[in-house]
């Protein structure tokens, strides 16, 4: 229970609390259903964004609790429609359309505010819960303060715990949405992009330039790329974060070498696009198909696809191995390095700067 109350013998006045009108309660219910839909969406979204098997279980539990609260409020609404609660030194009375309830002050053992925000009035042999969620905030506070708090420290503790949980949950969901749609931090574990990016580099990738992508969730065949929100399309030379075809767990970082409609050939240790040899001063090693079973990217790049390669051409698994990268698999554009932690004892800020 969240709060234990008792009649305050020092009170000499009488207060009267009215349940909200049907129109107001209908709006309240629709608002709560909207919150429930948002919570269900957040659960599915987090389950996709965080590869943790317990996400659905935790989210499902929270959704179930919220649904129970909505159901409780609906049942109470039907019972206490247009009801009036009167509290006075003589006791507590509740008048509804069909029944009147009266609890004498001498018979009330205590009152409690439970998890479902019901004010439960308890006598020795009976009890009744009055729905606090169906009254205005001002009336709710006035009613609670009319009574004597039997355990103020407990009440303060519960309020702090709830406020902390609420703040953490909201902040976490917002952070995950920022991570998915705006900006995300990455760590470089391999040398496939040397010498542009080194092992241990930490960078930020922004997701605004190409437009955000809604991850694949329940009922979706594939991620949805919101290209109409993009600033510009992917261009040659961009360093991009993406997931290759048939890869659902690991993100790759490579450089875009060619876009849809470009004709690509690899010959003489270099990449040729539309008959012109690319000037790639950032490349380390020789560009070839050595180590790859077949030539996957020779010819015209199909619509909705790009070619991506690592700068360290002799030590990079890229489009030469997995083929073209669909645009809807691109997650963002790398734009800034903020430190290197190859040596765990030292944070190297000397590499701080924009990625080119």
């Amino acid at each position: 229970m969240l709060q234990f109350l008792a009649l305050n013998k020092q009170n000499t006045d009488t207060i009267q609390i009215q349940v909200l009108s049907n129109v107001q309660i209908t709006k309240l219910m629709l608002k709560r259903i909207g919150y429930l839909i948002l919570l269900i969406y957040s659960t599915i979204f987090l389950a996709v964004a965080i590869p943790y098997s317990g996400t659905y279980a935790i989210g499902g539990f929270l959704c179930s609790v919220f649904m129970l609260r909505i159901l409780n409020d609906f049942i109470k609404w039907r019972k206490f429609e247009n009801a009036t609660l009167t509290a006075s030194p003589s006791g507590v009375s509740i008048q509804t359309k069909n029944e009147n309830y009266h609890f004498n002050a001498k018979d009330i053992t205590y009152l409690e505010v439970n998890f479902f925000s019901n004010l439960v009035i308890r006598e020795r042999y009976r009890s009744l819960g009055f729905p606090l969620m169906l009254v205005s905030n001002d009336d709710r506070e006035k009613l609670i303060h009319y009574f004597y708090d039997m355990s103020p420290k407990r009440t303060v503790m519960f309020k702090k715990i709830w406020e902390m949980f609420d703040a953490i949950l909201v902040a976490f969901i917002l952070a995950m949405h920022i991570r998915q749609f705006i900006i995300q931090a990455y760590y470089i574990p391999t040398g496939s992009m040397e010498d542009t990016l080194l092992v241990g580099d930490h960078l930020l990738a922004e997701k605004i330039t190409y437009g955000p992508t809604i991850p694949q969730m329940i009922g979706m065949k594939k991620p949805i790329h919101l290209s109409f929100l993009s600033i510009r399309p992917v261009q040659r030379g961009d360093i991009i974060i993406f997931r290759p075809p048939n890869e659902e767990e690991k993100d790759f970082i490579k450089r875009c070498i060619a876009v849809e409609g470009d004709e690509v050939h690899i010959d003489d240790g270099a990449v040729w696009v539309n008959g012109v040899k690319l000037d790639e001063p950032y490349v380390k090693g020789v560009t070839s198909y050595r180590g790859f079973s077949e030539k996957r990217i020779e010819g015209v790049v199909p619509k909705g696809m790009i070619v991506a390669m690592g700068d360290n051409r002799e030590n990079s698994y890229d489009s030469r191995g997995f083929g073209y990268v669909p645009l809807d698999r691109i997650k963002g554009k790398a734009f800034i390095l903020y430190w290197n932690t190859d040596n765990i004892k030292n944070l190297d800020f000397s590499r701080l700067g924009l990625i080119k």
Side-chain angles (χ1 to χ4, degrees):
M1 301 308 146
L2 302 180
Q3 194 170 6
F4 290 98
L5 305 169
L7 284 173
N8 191 342
K9 297 180 180 179
Q10 296 180 353
N11 277 337
T12 58
D13 56 336
T14 299
I15 64 168
Q16 197 171 67
I17 303 299
Q18 180 73 40
V19 169
L20 296 171
S21 68
N22 288 344
V23 173
Q24 291 173 310
I25 293 178
T26 300
K27 291 180 180 179
L28 177 65
M29 288 295 180
L30 291 175
K31 186 177 180 180
R32 285 175 156 258
I33 292 172
Y35 285 147
L36 177 61
I37 293 172
L38 181 61
L39 184 58
I40 293 172
Y41 158 77
S42 297
T43 298
I44 298 172
F45 175 84
L46 291 177
V48 174
I50 306 172
Y52 171 59
S53 58
T55 305
Y56 276 122
I58 296 171
F61 171 75
L62 293 176
C63 290
S64 299
V65 170
F66 202 83
M67 288 177 66
L68 286 175
R69 294 197 66 166
I70 293 176
L71 181 61
N72 171 78
D73 289 344
F74 181 78
I75 293 172
K76 293 293 185 181
W77 175 25
R78 306 318 301 167
K79 182 175 182 178
F80 292 97
E81 184 178 356
N82 298 320
T84 302
L85 181 146
T86 304
S88 66
S90 63
V92 179
S93 299
I94 300 175
Q95 182 178 0
T96 68
K97 291 191 303 183
N98 302 319
E99 293 185 65
N100 293 327
Y101 305 90
H102 182 72
F103 297 83
N104 290 318
K106 62 180 182 179
D107 297 327
I108 296 175
T109 54
Y110 65 92
L111 303 92
E112 68 185 45
V113 179
N114 65 16
F115 179 76
F116 292 100
S117 294
N118 294 325
L119 176 65
V120 182
I121 308 164
R122 294 192 181 275
E123 289 184 345
R124 186 173 181 181
Y125 297 111
R126 67 169 180 160
S127 64
L128 181 68
F130 180 79
L132 293 178
M133 290 303 297
L134 301 184
V135 301
S136 68
N137 292 333
D138 291 341
D139 283 349
R140 189 183 311 139
E141 290 298 318
K142 183 168 67 174
L143 181 61
I144 294 297
H145 286 97
Y146 182 82
F147 301 109
Y148 169 73
D149 194 334
M150 299 170 63
S151 181
K153 290 184 178 179
R154 176 192 176 99
T155 301
V156 171
M157 181 188 70
F158 270 115
K159 284 184 177 180
K160 286 184 177 180
I161 291 174
W162 174 251
E163 288 173 358
M164 185 181 301
F165 172 77
D166 189 46
I168 291 173
L169 181 62
V170 171
F172 182 70
I173 292 175
L174 284 175
M176 289 298 102
H177 279 76
I178 290 172
R179 179 177 180 268
Q180 176 66 37
F181 297 117
I182 300 177
I183 193 169
Q184 184 174 350
Y186 287 92
Y187 166 77
I188 305 299
T190 70
S192 68
M193 282 295 292
E194 291 179 349
D195 289 324
T196 305
L197 300 173
L198 305 180
V199 174
D201 278 347
H202 288 253
L203 59 88
L204 295 176
E206 54 89 6
K207 306 186 177 186
I208 299 174
T209 299
Y210 307 143
T213 298
I214 299 176
Q216 184 176 353
M217 296 186 283
I218 295 175
M220 295 171 56
K221 294 182 179 180
K222 63 178 183 178
I224 300 175
H225 179 223
L226 305 178
S227 57
F228 63 92
L229 295 177
S230 65
I231 297 174
R232 66 168 176 82
V234 183
Q235 296 177 352
R236 296 191 210 107
D238 288 352
I239 296 179
I240 59 174
I241 312 292
F242 63 94
R243 285 194 176 173
N246 303 320
E247 173 59 64
E248 302 302 331
E249 294 184 1
K250 294 181 181 179
D251 292 335
F252 282 45
I253 181 167
K254 308 292 178 185
R255 190 183 295 271
C256 175
I257 301 301
V259 297
E260 61 179 40
D262 286 342
E263 186 175 357
V264 179
H265 294 289
I266 295 177
D267 188 29
D268 195 25
V271 180
W272 297 72
V273 176
N274 300 326
V276 179
K277 181 179 178 181
L278 290 185
D279 180 19
E280 298 184 289
Y282 44 77
V283 166
K284 180 179 180 180
V286 176
T287 305
S288 68
Y289 283 107
R290 182 181 298 175
F292 298 99
S293 59
E294 57 183 297
K295 298 181 178 181
R296 292 180 176 270
I297 54 172
E298 291 292 315
V300 177
V301 180
K303 184 177 180 180
M305 301 287 183
I306 66 160
V307 174
M309 293 187 192
D311 288 353
N312 188 358
R313 295 291 162 80
E314 296 180 5
N315 186 27
S316 174
Y317 179 64
D318 47 41
S319 285
R320 292 170 293 174
F322 49 69
Y324 301 109
V325 178
L327 290 174
D328 60 14
R329 305 280 290 185
I330 298 175
K331 303 181 71 174
K333 179 179 180 293
F335 80 103
I336 191 170
L337 277 167
Y338 54 94
W339 69 49
N340 182 284
T341 56
D342 187 29
N343 184 346
I344 194 65
K345 295 181 180 180
N346 299 308
L347 292 180
D348 182 8
F349 292 93
S350 64
R351 291 181 52 72
L352 175 66
L354 297 176
I355 300 172
K356 298 180 181 180

